[in-house]
Amino acid sequence: MVPLKRRKVVASQTGNTGTEGGDEVKFPQVVLFLLERKMGASRRAFLSQLGRKKGFPVQELFSQTVTHVICENNSVEEVKTWLESRGGSRPAPHLLDISWFTESMRAGEPLEILDRHKLQEQQRDESEVVFFSVPSYACQRRTSLENHNAPLTEALSLLAENAELSEDDGRGVAFGRAAAVLKALPSLVTSMSQLRGLPCLGEHSLKVIKEILENGTSSEVESTKKSERYQALKVLTGIFGVGAKTAERWIRGGIRSLHQLRQAGRTLNRAQQAGLEHYDDINQPVTKAEAELIMETVEKAVASVLPGAQTVLTGGFRRGKLTGHDVDFLITHPEEGREVGLMPKVVSWLQSEGFLLYQKTTRNSYLESKDGPGRPASSMDRFERCFSIFKLSKEEETRTEDPQEETGNGDPNSTKVMDKQSQWRAVRVDLVVSPISQFAFALLGWTGSKLFERELRRWAGHERSMSLSSHALFDNTQSKYLRASSEEEIFAHLGLEYIPPSQRNA
């Protein structure tokens, strides 16, 4: 028996010489290479073995000695691009469709290469190619939840997330803007030529897009997914109350998992303790139905302490999403000033009814007379707010699977199987109180998406010489505040076409 290491060497050498298991090479003048792209690894392995048994040299790795490249469902442009990425070949090999290979296998010898065996140049009518054009700012574009280019946008969004976790905000924004452009496109991207002239697509983003269009995946994205650091940052920042800086510090201290964090005996603040305790629940998506159940409870709490107050479900659910990572509510009263002191009463009611597993309330620190909407420059507003972990009861209980139990014919001494997790789950909930004079701005800011709001502020500053926040809109040219009682009025002040919440999913 050949030792393991020796066997690996033999296998490697066999792959390069084109023989396997002592198969005789009958046609040394023909050296085949089967392109795995679109063919698949298992099919390629099967066909390679078949070729060797028929006496054809088949190489596992492409080299200058290859005379025939066998492809399946590839265009000649794709294969030539692939060859160029490997330094080309002299002389250039035949680029053949799988049909030549299968017919040669049946014949037991290499057949004459006919025109129908050759990969064909794609004849594309320029009039049939869909070229895209979109405005530069996301706040000028309508972006629904329907995404025709999910593989591309998911890849760019992952790179954006990784950059943000690494506190490289510039790169994170660049990838995010590129993803937002692709989300807004009305149909599938099939070639790089369609992207000519589109805004926000930098060199790095275009490289990722090109690789996915050609190979179906991006090597950078795949290596990022597998990166221990990225995985650790994802896990640790998934703890409520833990940001990228804290996670990075823990990673430097050797902590990369929840188990290691628990074992390390780190001192955690109240938010982090609650986040760790309810980690699984908080990192489970919240459904629209669950958000509506929580809203019923919040509305009841608000009505009990201040009749006439209004509660609005904001965030992704207002934009039409069916799931989210948390639930956000904006609360106000039609009479200015009546909202003062509302939050402590609402929180007290929720606590007395056993709905809050954790809560932290911050006071309203915004004063229009002293604080302009863009000073200091920050995306964070300063409303009175309650960050909480909500205890959501489940309507359906988990039962045993004894079919007789449903008819009452089971063992009278048996009991229903029920634990804590079958009775309730923890959900992240934010409550925000706004004066009615600022409500339109708060509603716009808390509806999102995050990039849409960022682009609104950028448009206001760069294109209109204004400062926009979730509190107000200030005209720097006229040195005055521009009032608004609705989102439509804010868009009008900014010189933008009104875009409804369902179209703000940038």
Side-chain angles (χ1 to χ4, degrees):
M1 181 176 179
V2 181
L4 180 59
K5 288 186 179 180
R6 176 59 181 159
R7 276 186 283 140
K8 286 183 178 179
V9 172
V10 170
S12 175
Q13 291 173 341
T14 298
N16 284 330
T17 60
T19 61
E20 182 176 299
D23 292 323
E24 180 186 356
V25 175
K26 299 178 181 177
F27 314 105
Q29 76 281 9
V30 175
V31 181
L32 308 184
F33 174 79
L34 278 67
L35 190 63
E36 184 175 319
R37 182 186 306 155
K38 296 186 180 180
M39 182 182 293
S42 58
R43 178 165 166 76
R44 178 179 186 257
F46 168 76
L47 294 177
S48 296
Q49 185 180 28
L50 175 63
R52 294 188 185 107
K53 286 185 177 179
K54 295 286 187 177
F56 289 76
V58 182
Q59 287 197 359
E60 288 298 317
L61 302 175
F62 181 80
S63 74
Q64 300 293 319
T65 61
V66 170
T67 60
H68 296 59
V69 175
I70 310 300
C71 313
E72 190 166 32
N73 299 321
N74 297 111
S75 69
V76 68
E77 290 89 350
E78 290 175 326
V79 179
K80 284 182 177 179
T81 300
W82 186 88
L83 288 173
E84 288 171 4
S85 70
R86 278 144 184 82
S89 178
R90 296 291 185 274
H94 296 290
L95 306 183
L96 303 178
D97 180 71
I98 190 70
S99 59
W100 178 87
F101 179 87
T102 54
E103 290 173 21
S104 295
M105 292 303 105
R106 282 197 296 268
E109 61 180 357
L111 296 179
E112 178 186 356
I113 297 174
L114 305 177
D115 285 342
R116 63 184 176 82
H117 294 138
K118 299 175 183 178
L119 289 191
Q120 301 300 310
E121 296 278 352
Q122 284 186 326
Q123 300 299 320
R124 177 170 291 182
D125 186 349
E126 285 292 307
S127 65
E128 296 178 359
V129 178
V130 178
F131 292 96
F132 301 113
S133 176
V134 298
S136 296
Y137 289 84
C139 57
Q140 297 174 290
R141 305 191 291 260
R142 292 174 178 266
T143 309
S144 69
L145 289 171
E146 184 179 14
N147 184 355
H148 299 282
N149 294 286
L152 299 177
T153 61
E154 287 169 4
L156 292 171
S157 296
L158 184 139
L159 295 178
E161 178 188 42
N162 184 53
E164 290 168 0
L165 289 174
S166 303
E167 298 187 271
D168 188 347
D169 292 339
R171 176 169 289 196
V173 170
F175 282 129
R177 285 178 179 154
V181 167
L182 298 181
K183 283 181 184 178
L185 299 182
S187 59
L188 181 69
V189 174
T190 57
S191 72
M192 295 298 294
S193 62
Q194 295 174 283
L195 305 180
R196 279 194 222 116
L198 289 184
C200 307
L201 298 181
E203 183 179 340
H204 196 156
S205 294
L206 287 171
K207 179 182 176 183
V208 173
I209 295 168
K210 185 173 186 290
E211 188 176 3
I212 294 173
L213 290 179
E214 292 177 353
N215 301 333
T217 186
S218 160
S219 56
E220 181 179 2
V221 171
E222 293 306 310
S223 64
T224 299
K225 286 180 183 178
K226 297 173 183 176
S227 162
E228 288 187 10
R229 183 175 178 279
Y230 171 75
Q231 292 176 359
L233 283 169
K234 282 280 287 181
V235 168
L236 296 177
T237 56
I239 302 171
F240 173 56
V242 176
K245 287 184 179 179
T246 299
E248 184 66 55
R249 187 172 67 252
W250 287 349
I251 290 172
R252 287 198 301 268
I255 297 173
R256 294 177 173 270
S257 68
L258 301 185
H259 176 72
Q260 290 174 336
L261 178 60
R262 293 187 177 103
Q263 294 296 314
R266 293 265 177 169
T267 301
L268 306 179
N269 60 36
R270 284 181 54 245
Q272 293 165 352
Q273 290 172 14
L276 187 59
E277 180 181 355
H278 304 293
Y279 183 89
D280 290 339
D281 274 1
I282 291 174
N283 284 276
Q284 175 187 338
V286 187
T287 66
K288 180 70 177 294
E290 289 173 325
E292 290 173 344
L293 284 174
I294 295 172
M295 183 168 180
E296 291 177 10
T297 300
V298 172
E299 285 181 323
K300 185 177 180 181
V302 171
S304 68
V305 300
L306 184 60
Q310 302 170 356
T311 303
V312 178
L313 177 63
T314 61
F317 291 114
R318 185 169 184 251
R319 302 196 309 273
K321 295 183 72 174
L322 299 180
T323 61
H325 67 277
D326 64 0
V327 189
D328 302 321
F329 296 102
L330 186 58
I331 307 168
T332 192
H333 192 280
E335 185 178 335
E336 185 83 6
R338 290 291 302 277
E339 80 288 343
V340 176
L342 172 60
M343 183 68 82
K345 295 176 183 178
V346 171
V347 171
S348 178
W349 189 94
L350 292 171
Q351 283 183 316
S352 67
E353 296 293 323
F355 286 109
L356 297 183
L357 299 167
Y358 165 87
Q359 69 84 17
K360 180 181 179 182
T361 304
T362 60
R363 299 178 63 184
N364 187 347
S365 62
Y366 176 75
L367 293 174
E368 183 179 290
S369 59
K370 294 183 179 180
D371 302 297
R375 299 182 289 272
S378 171
S379 61
M380 290 295 293
D381 59 59
R382 295 157 67 184
F383 289 114
E384 187 172 28
R385 184 186 309 170
C386 176
F387 299 99
S388 76
I389 299 178
F390 202 91
K391 184 177 182 179
L392 175 63
S393 297
K394 292 185 178 180
E395 293 186 334
E396 296 184 2
E397 299 170 345
T398 303
R399 300 172 179 269
T400 59
E401 295 184 359
D402 184 351
Q404 293 184 320
E405 185 183 40
E406 295 296 325
T407 61
N409 296 325
D411 182 351
N413 295 318
S414 66
T415 58
K416 288 185 292 185
V417 176
M418 186 189 303
D419 58 17
K420 182 201 77 169
Q421 293 303 317
S422 69
Q423 298 177 63
W424 59 268
R425 66 162 293 198
V427 178
R428 276 278 297 109
V429 175
D430 286 345
L431 306 174
V432 180
V433 172
S434 163
I436 191 64
S437 60
Q438 300 172 31
F439 182 75
F441 299 98
L443 183 61
L444 178 60
W446 275 85
T447 294
S449 64
K450 181 180 177 180
L451 183 68
F452 188 91
E453 299 302 324
R454 184 194 292 271
E455 292 287 272
L456 267 178
R457 294 191 297 272
R458 191 166 71 95
W459 167 272
H462 291 184
E463 306 296 333
R464 307 292 289 184
S465 190
M466 296 177 181
S467 298
L468 174 68
S469 74
S470 293
H471 295 277
L473 177 63
F474 188 79
D475 189 322
N476 296 304
T477 303
Q478 303 182 61
S479 296
K480 70 174 186 179
Y481 286 94
L482 303 178
R483 308 300 176 183
S485 59
S486 68
E487 291 178 309
E488 287 88 345
E489 286 186 55
I490 300 173
F491 276 86
H493 283 318
L494 293 170
L496 290 169
E497 177 189 358
Y498 175 71
I499 296 180
S502 62
Q503 301 291 315
R504 301 178 199 166
N505 291 287

